[in-house]
């Protein structure tokens, strides 16, 4: 095997590893982006849909289960200030590589108006 062939094989192995890593990380980021958008929509339209804080918390937790996230209701922090409220949520999603596991941390913070 010549030196140029060895370089090509090493290049292809590195390129394949980068593709696998991009797919693994990309899928986690896309899922988190979609979930974060759902949470923000729940908060933004809570007043118009006449949802209570418990309804919103339940919707956020049930959607997390649909996505395969394990988010207990106690991790969905909601603070009410008059007619407005804030939802804060931090969750961790693992990225499973063959020899390595990396935990990505995501934060969602959104404010909206509450129906009285």
């Amino acid at each position: 095997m010549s030196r140029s062939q060895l370089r090509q094989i090493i290049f292809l192995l590195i390129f394949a590893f980068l593709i696998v890593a991009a797919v693994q990380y990309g899928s986690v980021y896309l899922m988190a982006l979609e979930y974060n958008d759902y949470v923000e929509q729940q908060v933004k339209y809570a007043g118009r849909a006449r949802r209570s804080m418990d309804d919103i918390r339940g919707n956020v937790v049930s959607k997390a289960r649909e996505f395969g996230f394990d988010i207990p209701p106690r991790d969905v922090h909601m603070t009410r200030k008059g007619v407005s409220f804030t939802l804060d949520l931090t969750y961790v999603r693992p990225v499973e590589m063959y020899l390595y596991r990396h935990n990505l941390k995501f934060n969602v913070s959104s404010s909206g108006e509450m129906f009285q």
Side-chain angles (χ1 to χ4, degrees):
M1 187 179 301
S2 71
R3 200 173 262 205
S4 65
Q5 288 176 331
L6 185 60
R7 274 193 222 148
Q8 287 177 345
I9 291 172
I10 290 172
F11 174 77
L12 288 175
L13 287 174
I14 291 171
F15 185 71
F17 173 77
L18 291 175
I19 293 294
V20 169
V23 168
Q24 294 291 330
Y25 277 88
S27 65
V28 170
Y29 274 109
L30 285 175
M31 201 178 306
L33 182 67
E34 188 175 340
Y35 178 70
N36 292 355
D37 184 56
Y38 174 80
V39 171
E40 289 174 1
Q41 293 298 318
Q42 287 292 305
V43 171
K44 182 177 180 180
Y45 297 111
R48 185 177 295 162
R50 299 178 184 235
R51 291 188 191 106
S52 69
M53 290 175 73
D54 290 334
D55 292 338
I56 296 167
R57 181 178 282 116
N59 291 344
V60 167
V61 170
S62 68
K63 190 62 148 183
R65 286 191 189 117
E66 287 179 27
F67 279 98
F69 300 174
D70 185 27
I71 299 175
R74 70 178 179 274
D75 288 351
V76 180
H77 302 284
M78 300 179 79
T79 307
R80 188 167 183 169
K81 297 174 188 166
V83 295
S84 66
F85 73 100
T86 303
L87 183 144
D88 293 307
L89 173 63
T90 300
Y91 61 98
V92 175
R93 293 294 301 153
V95 178
E96 299 287 341
M97 300 299 283
Y98 295 106
L99 300 173
Y100 180 68
R101 180 178 183 179
H102 183 225
N103 290 323
L104 295 175
K105 187 175 182 180
F106 296 97
N107 298 308
V108 182
S109 182
S110 187
S111 298
E113 292 183 2
M114 181 65 63
F115 176 73
Q116 297 253 343

